[in-house]
């Protein structure tokens, strides 16, 4: 089972940095950005996280909270978050429950070898808990600006 645009996102609870537990239903009334990235402290993931960090005031103004998700553990997440001064929480998805819910585990090729990995993807959930937009096979440059524009547009329409 995976989520589709226009459909409610099934409720979930996940462990995140800063000793927080994220429950989707508790965020009703706010828009939620969930972005999946392959690995903490790698160049593309650092750039993407930095772009979200640098635009956080604009996301907050658009009634939107942001969470990064990867399969890394909480300790790696805490180090990554502290080192990059991220002003949002990172969700640890070691069991891949969210990865499967959002269907982001894909066959990837690296150095000629195939492996299953997280495809960089972003999801925008509206204040009622429905999936409003999705971006798959994300290229980092300019991506956060696109997500912010969509968050503003949906927030203004609500």
């Amino acid at each position: 089972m995976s989520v589709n645009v226009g459909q409610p996102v099934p409720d979930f609870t996940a462990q995140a940095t800063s000793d927080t537990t994220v429950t989707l239903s508790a965020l009703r009334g706010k828009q939620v950005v969930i972005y999946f990235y392959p690995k903490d402290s790698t160049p593309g993931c650092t750039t993407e996280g930095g772009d979200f960090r640098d635009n956080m005031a604009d996301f907050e103004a658009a009634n939107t909270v942001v969470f990064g998700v990867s399969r890394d553990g909480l300790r790696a997440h805490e180090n990554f978050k502290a080192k990059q001064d991220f002003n949002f929480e990172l969700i640890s998805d070691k069991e891949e429950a969210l990865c499967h819910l959002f269907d982001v585990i894909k066959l990837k090729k690296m150095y000629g070898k195939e492996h299953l990995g997280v495809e960089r993807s972003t999801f925008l959930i509206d204040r009622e808990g429905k999936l409003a937009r999705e971006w798959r096979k994300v290229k980092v440059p300019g991506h956060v600006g696109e997500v912010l524009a969509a968050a503003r547009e949906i927030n203004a329409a609500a």
Side-chain angles (χ1 to χ4, degrees):
M1 181 182 128
S2 67
V3 297
N4 294 305
V5 172
Q7 298 296 311
V9 176
D11 197 22
F12 63 81
T13 298
Q15 292 307 117
T17 48
S18 304
D19 217 11
T20 55
T21 301
V22 176
T23 301
L24 183 61
S25 58
L27 297 168
R28 286 283 191 287
K30 287 196 173 298
Q31 298 183 134
V32 180
V33 167
I34 299 178
Y35 80 93
F36 289 85
Y37 63 95
K39 188 141 184 61
D40 287 344
S41 302
T42 56
C45 301
T46 300
T47 300
E48 184 177 26
D51 288 349
F52 276 110
R53 174 197 64 216
D54 296 346
N55 286 281
M56 196 51 58
D58 293 324
F59 278 104
E60 288 168 358
N63 190 35
T64 306
V65 293
V66 174
F67 298 99
V69 182
S70 82
R71 299 183 297 181
D72 294 296
L74 285 172
R75 178 173 293 171
H77 274 355
E78 292 288 4
N79 291 339
F80 186 38
K81 182 182 175 209
K83 191 172 181 186
Q84 300 303 324
D85 203 24
F86 290 160
N87 46 7
F88 55 89
E89 305 305 333
L90 300 176
I91 294 172
S92 174
D93 193 30
K94 281 185 136 169
E95 274 75 56
E96 300 179 353
L98 288 181
C99 289
H100 288 298
L101 176 65
F102 287 91
D103 191 29
V104 298
I105 302 283
K106 303 292 182 190
L107 196 59
K108 299 167 86 173
K109 265 195 171 139
M110 188 182 246
Y111 308 119
K113 287 188 170 38
E114 289 187 333
H115 70 282
L116 286 174
V118 173
E119 179 180 84
R120 193 180 304 279
S121 309
T122 302
F123 301 88
L124 176 58
I125 301 166
D126 71 15
R127 54 181 74 183
E128 268 82 58
K130 287 189 184 132
L131 182 60
R133 298 269 173 89
E134 66 179 12
W135 293 263
R136 296 186 179 269
K137 296 183 181 168
V138 165
K139 301 287 181 247
V140 173
H143 174 62
V144 170
E146 283 180 41
V147 177
L148 179 58
R152 284 176 168 151
E153 179 188 316
I154 292 163
N155 188 55

